[in-house]
Amino acid sequence: MPRNLPYDRSDRIAKQVYQVIASFFYKEVTNPRLNGVQITNVKMTKDLSIARVYFYIPGDKARQKEAKTALEELSKTIKHTIGVEL
């Protein structure tokens, strides 16, 4: 039975995922290639199977490429952290 709520469950979960990732970067990331990386937004699909994490990397193209590579290397750890926290 659908309820007329002003928000979706996917939006609430996306906010929680955002908080987990942001605190993970603040507390646990020590990789110098990821200094200055900012998580800007998280969007979830309605079935909660896919989360898109948007981020900002200041600097030139070479620095952005290094940070993107470091983020890809760290993705499994981030996924694990999300699973544990949520």
Side-chain angles (χ1 to χ4, degrees):
M1 181 168 188
R3 297 187 292 178
N4 294 328
L5 297 176
Y7 49 82
D8 287 334
R9 182 168 187 241
S10 61
D11 294 337
R12 293 192 315 258
I13 300 295
K15 286 179 184 178
Q16 290 179 337
V17 170
Y18 172 82
Q19 290 174 348
V20 169
I21 294 173
S23 67
F24 175 77
F25 269 84
Y26 181 72
K27 294 176 184 176
E28 299 182 26
V29 175
T30 58
N31 190 335
R33 297 183 294 175
L34 295 175
N35 285 343
V37 173
Q38 300 171 1
I39 305 300
T40 58
N41 198 8
V42 175
K43 295 196 180 214
M44 300 284 298
T45 57
K46 295 293 181 191
D47 64 354
L48 306 176
S49 63
I50 299 172
R52 293 191 192 236
V53 179
Y54 297 90
F55 55 91
Y56 172 71
I57 304 169
D60 59 351
K61 294 288 184 188
R63 172 148 169 31
Q64 291 174 355
K65 189 174 181 179
E66 287 177 0
K68 187 176 178 186
T69 303
L71 283 171
E72 290 171 355
E73 292 170 0
L74 196 62
S75 67
K76 288 183 181 181
T77 306
I78 293 171
K79 289 177 187 178
H80 177 75
T81 303
I82 291 169
V84 169
E85 293 291 324
L86 294 183

